[in-house]
Structures are given as structure tokens and as C-alpha cells.
Amino acid sequence: MSVDMIDDAAAGMLAGSAAGLRGRLWQLRPADLREIAITASTEILRLEAIRVVAVDALALNPDEQVLCYRGAGRWLAANTMLQIPAGNRIAALGLALRAFPTVAAQFDAGDLTFEHTALIVTFCETPPKGMPETALPHCINTLLAAASGIEATTTKLRYAIAILERIFESDDIPPGEDDDRNELRISPTLNGRVAIKGDVDSLTGEMLLSALSGLSMPTPAADGTPDARSAAKRTADAFTELIRRYLDNAATGVDGGQRPHVNVHVNAKDLAEHRECASTRGNASDDGDPILDFDNLDSRDNLDNPDVGHMPWLGPLSITRTHMLACDCMLSTVLLDENGAPLDVSPLKRLVSAAQRTALIARDKGCAFPGCDCVPAWTDAHHIRPWSQNGPTVMDNLVLLCRSHHTLMHRKAGFTGKWEIKMGSDHKPWFIPPPAIDPKQKPRRSTQRC
């Protein structure tokens, strides 16, 4: 079947219902279904943008039906299956986009998701206090570059925002790190259960996720039967176990006790010079305003080595909060080359040492396979060239992979061929898909890296 025929089939399927698609699944190949899924996703982005434009137009020029409600967002919720908060978010984004036509144009074209557009607009509406107005267009270009394309992730966009906040550093606490906003509600229900709902800062979330990680992993039965619990059930069981262990050990705030283990990665130079801000990074103009290199600011390459902290679970952390944590912590050093890749340690052993694993986490930030967001705690260290084939335990022969992708790498070549891993000139892993997936076998890099 040609590409055009697949496109036509996808368009025909999208014109019907999911029930109709289910009735024809036996006629479709995986290639057809992949095309339908991608086409549907593209169509959803297009329709989301149309909905935002239409709701915003109604907000500007409401008729009698819309005027019956307190805003166009509530009208939308009342006439669809959306909830009021969702309707209000749609109306709010339409209102905000009026002031930022460059962002609106890319969203209207279907090149931005709703969530990423909202993040960019929020930055534009409340930029760092140290940022001059002339920098805003260049900041928007940086954020649009981070949020565009199939490799765009929320983590990458958050990194871009963190970098800009670092460049124009001020004394304001970023919203994600403001613990004054923390809320936790624990309410007994009528049926004797307890409902828990909270909203906490990124550092608190990192501590909680780190504490729950080892307790929430799937645990096979003694006979090897896989863990049948859902992820939500495992997390709830881990939370129960965490509280039980806390109470059993009576760990009620011992002075000088060891703090929860939170790993934050940061460049030593950036940690030492954390008070540098935009005014000290460039030359000053005659009127005292900083002169910034906007050409470099717009570059995607700036996202590869962000001078901000990084947490394995929740991503970027401002350099100010990183410095605060460094005042009372255990510091370990990972030596890097000019590309930011860790240097080798203990290469003569088969098993990866603790120091090597720390270096791998600093480089890969989790499973390095493209598109995977598995955190470091749930990854294995994989020898690119097997140890059994004299593959050394050195950084250029190691990569972090989640169990699923680790299994994929050890699987014999089947009908789709086999993925390969090559270490690039930057001493970071690149993944080469088999010809059946990409006839050109274009190398792909990890999407965990910004």
C-alpha cells in the first residue's frame, strides 16, 4: 500500500467513529494503524486551536446564549462534556494569546500543544523581573524552539524556561519551588475511607517520589508470577509502607539526622557563581542596561547544557534553590570533558560501580532511549558492546536503559531488525533504528537531554 493510500485510509477512518474502526481492525496492518494514530493526533491539535479561537471570539462578541453564563468558558462546559475548569482554561488561553501573536500563530498552525502553549504564555505574562522588554521576542523564539517538533517534551520546555530565569535571575522564587503555595488535604469520607489531595513544590515532590521509588516497583511472586497490581495500587501500597516504617522507627525529627536522599546535578562553576545575573554576563550599554547576545539566546544549542540544577524525578531546579541545598548536603564530584560527558572511572570491572552510576545519571538523566522518560532509579546500566565480547566497563560503552528498552537491546533481530547504539563524538549515546523503522537509519539522541 502506498503512502497516499494509507493517508486516504486514515482520513476515511477519521471521518467515522471508533466503533467503525474497531469493526475494521482485521483489515488493517500495523502501518495503517500507526498512520491513523498520528493523523488523529495531528487533527486533535488542529481542532484544539480552532476551539480556542472560537471560544475567544465568543468572549469578545457574546450572543444571548453565551451571556447567560459567567464567561465563554462556562458556556462551553455547559454545552459539552468538559468540566468548568477545563472550559475556563480554554477561554483563558484564548484571552492570553491576543497579546502574543507569534505564539498564537504557531499554536493555530497545530505546531504546539495546548499545555505547552499555556506554559509559554505564562512565562510571557510574568517574565523574570530582571528581563528587559527587548528580550521578550528572543525568549519567545527560544521557548517555541523547545516546544516544537515531535521531540518536544514538557521537560525540555521547562528547561528552556529555567535557563531564561537563570539568565535574568532575580530574587523571586519560581512558582514550582515556592513552598508557601503547598497544600495537602486529608479528609475522611462518608464510607470510612480517606481522600488525599495535595499540591507541593518540586523539591518536596522530588523527596516524596524518591522515597516511594524503591517501595513501589513491581514485585513478582515467589513462583515468578508478575505483579498484578496497577501502578496506582503499587504507589498506594508504597505510601502505606513508608508511613509504617516511619512510625516503626520513631523517626520524629532527630537533630543532625540524615536528610532524605535527593539528588541534584549542577555544574560546579554554576554553583560557585550562582549570584551572576544578566547584568554581569555581558557588557553594559551607555545607560547601564545589559547587552545580551540574542542570537545565541535563540539557539537550540543553548538547551544542551543548561546552567541550572537537575533533579532525576522532576527535572530543572533554579540555581538559587540548588545553592541553598548545597549548604547542607553530601557533595560528590563527577569529572566531565569539554562536551559535558563524564570521564571514565573503574573500567576493569564488569559491574558498574556506584561512582560510574552517578556519572551515568548525570549524563543520561534516566533511560537514554529516544522518547523514554523513565527515571534513573528504574534503569539498568547496559554495556553497548557486551562484556562477554570484551566490552569494557567505561563511560563510552555504558548507557542507562529502562528494563523494557534494555530487553529490546538484548533481543535477537526479528522482523523489524535490531536497534544499535553508537557513542557520538560528544561522548553521548545515539540510537540507530533498524531499516524497517527508518530506511535511512538516521541516528536519534535521547530526549531526556535538552
Side-chain angles (χ1 to χ4, degrees):
M1 182 181 290
S2 68
V3 174
D4 290 339
M5 290 177 66
I6 292 176
D7 290 340
D8 291 342
M13 291 296 180
L14 292 175
S17 66
L21 176 60
R22 290 184 186 279
R24 297 182 58 185
L25 287 178
W26 64 276
Q27 296 178 305
L28 301 174
R29 302 180 306 168
D32 303 331
L33 294 172
R34 283 191 282 107
E35 184 65 30
I36 289 171
I38 292 173
T39 303
S41 299
T42 303
E43 190 71 2
I44 287 170
L45 291 180
R46 184 182 71 84
L47 292 173
E48 275 192 325
I50 290 175
R51 182 170 61 182
V52 169
V53 171
V55 171
D56 188 50
L58 284 172
L60 286 170
N61 187 27
D63 61 7
E64 292 181 355
Q65 290 194 40
V66 176
L67 287 172
C68 293
Y69 298 88
R70 287 186 295 149
R74 286 178 176 269
W75 165 84
L76 180 65
N79 289 273
T80 64
M81 289 189 288
L82 292 174
Q83 300 299 303
I84 290 176
N88 286 340
R89 284 195 297 270
I90 292 169
L93 182 60
L95 172 62
L97 285 174
R98 298 177 198 171
F100 307 106
T102 304
V103 182
Q106 197 149 327
F107 176 62
D108 293 348
D111 294 333
L112 290 177
T113 67
F114 183 97
E115 292 78 12
H116 290 174
T117 305
L119 278 174
I120 295 173
V121 167
T122 298
F123 175 88
C124 295
E125 290 183 324
T126 56
K129 290 186 177 179
M131 188 183 81
E133 292 185 8
T134 54
L136 183 58
H138 304 277
C139 291
I140 290 176
N141 289 340
T142 299
L143 298 180
L144 291 177
S148 302
I150 59 173
E151 290 188 355
T153 63
T154 302
T155 299
K156 180 179 291 187
L157 180 55
R158 286 181 56 220
Y159 262 118
I161 292 172
I163 293 168
L164 295 177
E165 289 174 341
R166 164 70 170 126
I167 293 174
F168 305 107
E169 187 174 4
S170 70
D171 293 331
D172 291 346
I173 301 175
E177 299 173 15
D178 187 357
D179 55 17
D180 286 340
R181 303 186 182 193
N182 288 3
E183 294 180 341
L184 182 63
R185 295 182 176 88
I186 304 176
S187 308
T189 64
L190 294 176
N191 62 0
R193 297 184 63 80
V194 175
I196 302 174
K197 183 178 181 180
D199 178 21
V200 298
D201 63 281
S202 57
L203 180 58
T204 302
E206 184 75 15
M207 289 190 290
L208 179 60
L209 291 170
S210 298
L212 293 174
S213 174
L215 301 174
S216 61
M217 295 184 70
T219 305
D223 62 357
T225 304
D227 195 332
R229 296 175 300 168
S230 66
K233 172 61 175 170
R234 294 200 313 270
T235 302
D237 291 346
F239 189 61
T240 302
E241 179 65 12
L242 186 67
I243 297 172
R244 186 190 66 77
R245 292 187 184 188
Y246 173 83
L247 295 176
D248 286 350
N249 291 299
T252 53
V254 178
D255 289 338
Q258 191 177 36
R259 294 189 175 190
H261 294 287
V262 174
N263 295 312
V264 179
H265 300 99
V266 65
N267 292 334
K269 177 177 179 293
D270 298 322
L271 184 62
E273 301 175 0
H274 82 287
R275 294 306 300 170
E276 283 192 358
C277 59
S279 61
T280 61
R281 291 191 169 212
N283 299 321
S285 62
D286 295 337
D287 57 4
D289 290 334
I291 299 177
L292 300 174
D293 187 355
F294 289 135
D295 291 334
N296 288 333
L297 182 63
D298 291 347
S299 173
R300 277 180 177 266
D301 295 335
N302 268 330
L303 305 180
D304 285 331
N305 294 295
D307 53 350
V308 294
H310 167 80
M311 298 183 294
W313 286 94
L314 293 176
L317 184 70
S318 72
I319 199 72
T320 301
R321 180 55 63 93
T322 303
H323 186 270
M324 183 198 75
L325 294 177
C327 291
D328 183 15
C329 71
M330 296 175 61
L331 285 174
S332 59
T333 302
V334 178
L335 298 179
L336 308 176
D337 63 13
E338 67 278 6
N339 296 311
L343 300 178
D344 291 317
V345 289
S346 305
L348 300 179
K349 296 182 178 180
R350 180 178 69 85
L351 298 179
V352 171
S353 67
Q356 284 179 313
R357 185 166 180 85
T358 299
L360 284 170
I361 292 172
R363 185 192 70 189
D364 296 342
K365 297 183 174 65
C367 179
F369 195 89
C372 187
D373 60 356
C374 186
V375 296
W378 294 358
T379 59
D380 302 326
H382 168 68
H383 283 76
I384 298 174
R385 180 183 176 188
W387 172 264
S388 60
Q389 299 176 16
N390 298 319
T393 307
V394 297
M395 297 307 297
D396 274 1
N397 194 47
L398 295 171
V399 61
L400 288 183
L401 295 173
C402 67
R403 186 57 53 86
S404 175
H405 288 121
H406 198 180
T407 302
L408 177 67
M409 290 301 163
H410 284 282
R411 187 175 297 158
K412 293 181 179 179
F415 66 95
T416 59
K418 189 172 182 178
W419 284 79
E420 293 184 55
I421 307 176
K422 300 290 186 182
M423 199 59 64
S425 59
D426 57 357
H427 298 284
K428 295 176 183 178
W430 291 75
F431 293 75
I432 302 174
I437 292 178
D438 179 5
K440 296 182 179 179
Q441 293 191 282
K442 180 179 178 182
R444 308 179 185 184
R445 70 174 186 171
S446 166
T447 47
Q448 290 267 23
R449 306 204 309 268
C450 292

